[in-house]
Amino acid sequence: MTITHLVTHSGGFHADELLSSVILTRLFPEATLLRTRDKTWITPDEGRIIYDVGGDFDAQAQIYDHHQRPNPLREDGQPYSSFGLIWAHYGRDYLAAMDVPETDIEAIHESFDRGFVLPVDLVDNGAVNTSEAGPLFSGMTLPVLLESLKTVFDDRAEGADDRAFHDALPVARAFVEAQIKRKAAKFRAEGMVMNAIDAAGSGHILELPMGMPFRAGVEKAGADHLLFVIHPRGADWTLTTIRVGDDTFDNRADLPAAWAGLTDGALEAASGVKGAKFCHNGRFIAVATSREATLKMADIAVQEALAASG
């Protein structure tokens, strides 16, 4: 069946139908996006997808509202918004349209649902309160930022709400597509990291062909023996530590304390390595002019870390 119309409600908008529109307009680029509350349009019919309006949820009839009672719930009892419903039914097709490899679609679909879609669902349904983030951050959540693109209360020019919605759509699209591309890149990186781990064997230094997310691959491989990572960065090479978790700055091993905050000649003198250029004061990254110099720094850091651990 050809989809000719994507139908959501008129007036002010929320993040859920805006983000739903991101998904649907990519999948059905030739369809007309119609914002209305006309009952003849928000009633299911052939060729249309209705969302965030209509008072019903019926995937077979292609209507995806969540305001009715009983409202649609996830298996764990948490409420859907229209975004969650659209993602559940069209998200995999969207990922395929974004050229995500078929082998990664299910994992990325679940990850995006958990980390991006669910928070929008919960905020839209009032299941979480953004003010609980504190006054400094409560206005910085994605739903709040997207909804700040609505017209102000006294802008009553004809078509103002629709213009604001269509102006906000590419902003919302940028966030969604950036998240998907980043998640897909992490899966690509994981395969490269796995190959590098095999090459490292029992050594403590992981050498990568470029900068990339690596900790997930290291943990998945159970490579607890790895302490540092090196890779080229432009004309230089970088030596970095490996964090012990997502929510901490603690590392498996830090770079030598004697290097902290030093650059160029001072770092060369402290490390004994010709070509050493920089070490962050936090001792989590260092830079040298060549692979050989970086490997020497990494070997020194490994020996110091092993000695410190007994």
Side-chain angles (χ1 to χ4, degrees):
M1 177 175 57
T2 301
I3 299 300
T4 60
H5 290 84
L6 306 174
V7 184
T8 190
H9 62 80
S10 56
F13 60 86
H14 291 127
D16 63 329
E17 77 267 20
L18 183 64
L19 292 164
S20 296
S21 299
V22 169
I23 306 304
L24 294 173
T25 54
R26 172 170 279 275
L27 290 176
F28 308 103
E30 302 303 317
T32 298
L33 176 55
L34 179 63
R35 303 183 72 242
T36 182
R37 295 185 185 274
D38 185 333
K39 288 189 176 182
T40 62
W41 276 108
I42 62 175
T43 300
D45 198 3
E46 186 174 354
R48 68 181 65 163
I49 298 173
I50 303 165
Y51 53 103
D52 209 46
V53 70
D56 194 15
F57 165 53
D58 184 343
Q60 188 171 358
Q62 297 187 135
I63 181 168
Y64 300 90
D65 200 7
H66 67 105
H67 298 100
Q68 65 278 3
R69 291 291 179 265
N71 59 315
L73 302 175
R74 296 166 178 265
E75 290 184 359
D76 61 3
Q78 298 190 94
Y80 279 111
S81 73
S82 64
F83 186 34
L85 293 173
I86 291 296
W87 183 252
H89 291 83
Y90 293 98
R92 293 170 182 83
D93 292 338
Y94 173 82
L95 293 175
M98 287 284 292
D99 296 323
V100 171
E102 185 177 354
T103 54
D104 298 336
I105 283 179
E106 197 59 38
I108 293 178
H109 184 273
E110 180 182 355
S111 175
F112 187 74
D113 181 67
R114 183 176 61 253
F116 192 104
V117 181
L118 176 60
V120 174
D121 286 355
L122 296 180
V123 170
D124 189 81
N125 282 282
V128 297
N129 188 343
T130 58
S131 66
E132 293 175 359
L136 187 60
F137 298 105
S138 61
M140 299 301 291
T141 64
L142 182 61
V144 171
L145 289 173
L146 290 177
E147 290 167 27
S148 72
L149 301 176
K150 293 188 292 188
T151 56
V152 293
F153 78 96
D154 52 356
D155 181 359
R156 302 324 308 158
E158 184 177 355
D161 287 327
D162 287 345
R163 284 194 297 273
F165 183 91
H166 286 284
D167 286 346
L169 189 56
V171 178
R173 187 181 309 280
F175 279 108
V176 172
E177 293 190 353
Q179 286 286 320
I180 297 302
K181 290 176 181 177
R182 185 170 296 275
K183 289 181 182 296
K186 285 184 177 180
F187 277 83
R188 294 196 303 274
E190 187 173 287
M192 299 172 73
V193 170
M194 291 297 190
N195 291 335
I197 290 171
D198 288 340
S202 60
H204 300 288
I205 302 166
L206 179 67
E207 181 174 346
L208 298 175
M210 64 188 74
M212 66 182 70
F214 58 79
R215 197 171 62 79
V218 168
E219 292 186 351
K220 183 176 181 179
D224 297 335
H225 60 290
L226 293 172
L227 298 178
F228 299 101
V229 177
I230 68 167
H231 62 80
R233 186 179 71 176
D236 295 326
W237 278 69
T238 297
L239 165 63
T240 62
T241 57
I242 301 175
R243 290 186 185 179
V244 299
D246 285 330
D247 56 354
T248 179
F249 288 102
D250 292 337
N251 301 307
R252 293 183 175 186
D254 294 321
L255 297 175
W259 301 356
L262 300 182
T263 61
D264 301 325
L267 182 57
E268 287 185 336
S271 65
V273 177
K274 182 70 173 177
K277 288 183 66 173
F278 166 77
C279 181
H280 195 282
N281 198 46
R283 299 160 55 199
F284 61 85
I285 185 170
V287 177
T289 58
S290 68
R291 175 178 181 272
E292 292 71 21
T294 306
L295 277 172
K296 288 179 182 179
M297 295 180 74
D299 285 335
I300 294 168
V302 165
Q303 294 306 314
E304 181 169 312
L306 294 177
S309 66

